[in-house]
Each structure stands twice: as structure tokens, then as C-alpha cells.
Amino acid sequence: MERSLSLLTVVFDLGGVLVPPEGSIGDLAAELDVGRVELAAAYWRARDEYDRGGSSTEFWTQVTDEVDRPVGAGGVARLDAVDAARWSIPGPGVESMLADVTRTRTRLAVLSNAPASLAATVRSAPWSSAFSTLMFSSDVGVMKPEPAIYALADDRIGAADDGVLFFDDRRANVEAARRHGWRAHLWTDLADARRVLLAAGAIGE
């Protein structure tokens, strides 16, 4: 069944999709002078509460205490800035893809598990102006793949369920989006995403 292009909204995850999956771990490990593997374990163990809108001080204190590199208030602010900046830089070819989508009247949105500091950095980045909606877990206190976040995204996007095409690099998030009624696609790389977007009419030949 053909869709009017004006009804289609393409929703992207951020980390691992629009932004390279390695994120800020390397930069943070260098900042703290610890191994990447050690830091990654502490970072991801504490991350969920932070992505739900939790305190940056509590998050970074937990992470740095676990790797035995405690920092003061100034250190927390520095680590937060390093983390947010690295996660907000789009991967190669992403901005070109977004420009191609905007030429077809297709609406663009972001739905990402991310803390408030990262959300603020993305919102201030020039490339994010391509998106009509930028929604982060810290905005609403729930995370993918929890069902509530997809319903909340529908309200913010203002699109019918059958008018959403969603890309995420985590299978659990994709499956939850499909159960909600979105046309969800597991992100593998930019070339595959372009093929899906072309088939959906979200980019031109």
C-alpha cells in the first residue's frame, strides 16, 4: 500500500545509529587514566538511572569510585562535557542521509536513551535542526524498550503508528517498537538504512 510522503515520520536512535557506537569510552578512559574495558563496565552498569534523568553527580561519582578515580564537582562537570560532546557527533555520511530525507517532505525524529546533558548538547548542535522532534529518555523518565516510551513518542511526533519508520541498533528496542505498531528496522549500517528509506519513499532515487 502506498503512503503519502507527508504522513511518514522516520525515527532514529542516536548512539550506534546516528552516532558511532564506540561513543565516549575511549576519551573518558584517557581522561581518567584507566583501561577502556574497566571504565566501560562501570559506565554501563550505572547508566540506566542516569538516562532516566538521574543526577549527573551521582552517576559520575559511582563510575569514578568504581574505577578508583574519584573526582570532585569540577571533575564531574568535565567528564559530563566529554561524554556529551562525543556522543553528539554524527557518523560519516549521516548528515548527507538526513539532507536527502528532508527533501521528500518526510518528517525526522530522534528517540534515544540519553541523559539531560547529552540531550542539551544534541539540541544545540546545528545538524539536529533537521529533526522536527528530539525526544530523550531523560525527558520522560522511561527508556526503550519500555512500551510507554513509544506511546509518548507518538504523542510528541504527532504521527499515526502506521506512519512511523524506526531505526535502532538494539534488537530489544526494535522488537518493542514493532509490538507497538511501528515499522521498526534493526540498524546495521548506513547503506542498508538508505535501501530501507528508498523503499519507503523517504529518499529519492
Side-chain angles (χ1 to χ4, degrees):
M1 180 177 68
E2 292 186 359
R3 300 179 187 277
S4 167
L5 295 178
S6 64
L7 296 180
L8 180 63
T9 301
V10 181
V11 180
F12 291 98
D13 179 33
L14 190 65
V17 176
L18 299 179
V19 177
E22 60 269 19
S24 59
I25 294 297
D27 294 339
L28 292 166
E31 184 79 23
L32 292 169
D33 191 26
V34 297
R36 289 173 61 105
V37 173
E38 181 184 7
L39 178 64
Y43 178 96
W44 291 115
R45 195 162 15 249
R47 190 72 181 190
D48 281 5
E49 188 59 33
Y50 190 33
D51 282 349
R52 291 181 191 277
S55 160
S56 60
T57 298
E58 290 180 7
F59 171 71
W60 291 112
T61 297
Q62 183 175 337
V63 171
T64 56
D65 284 353
E66 186 169 333
V67 298
D68 197 25
R69 294 291 193 278
V71 295
V76 165
R78 186 177 69 253
L79 292 173
D80 215 32
V82 169
D83 190 42
R86 186 67 179 84
W87 276 112
S88 65
I89 301 171
V94 164
E95 290 181 87
S96 176
M97 175 191 68
L98 297 176
D100 288 345
V101 173
T102 60
R103 293 188 185 101
T104 66
R105 298 194 306 167
T106 300
R107 291 183 295 185
L108 285 168
V110 163
L111 177 61
S112 176
N113 291 341
S117 56
L118 193 159
T121 301
V122 172
R123 287 186 169 113
S124 67
W127 63 272
S128 73
S129 64
F131 295 90
S132 60
T133 303
L134 294 164
M135 180 172 165
F136 301 92
S137 55
S138 54
D139 297 335
V140 293
V142 292
M143 297 173 57
K144 297 176 294 182
E146 296 167 9
I149 198 166
Y150 302 98
L152 289 167
D154 277 338
D155 290 340
R156 295 218 178 177
I157 293 166
D161 292 351
D162 63 357
V164 174
L165 175 62
F166 176 57
F167 292 92
D168 199 291
D169 65 324
R170 296 188 178 182
R171 191 170 299 278
N173 297 343
V174 169
E175 291 173 350
R178 287 174 180 166
R179 288 192 294 272
H180 177 69
W182 288 2
R183 291 183 289 154
H185 188 81
L186 184 68
W187 177 278
T188 55
D189 57 36
L190 195 65
D192 180 63
R194 279 189 167 276
R195 286 191 292 270
V196 174
L197 291 166
L198 180 61
I203 57 174
E205 296 280 358

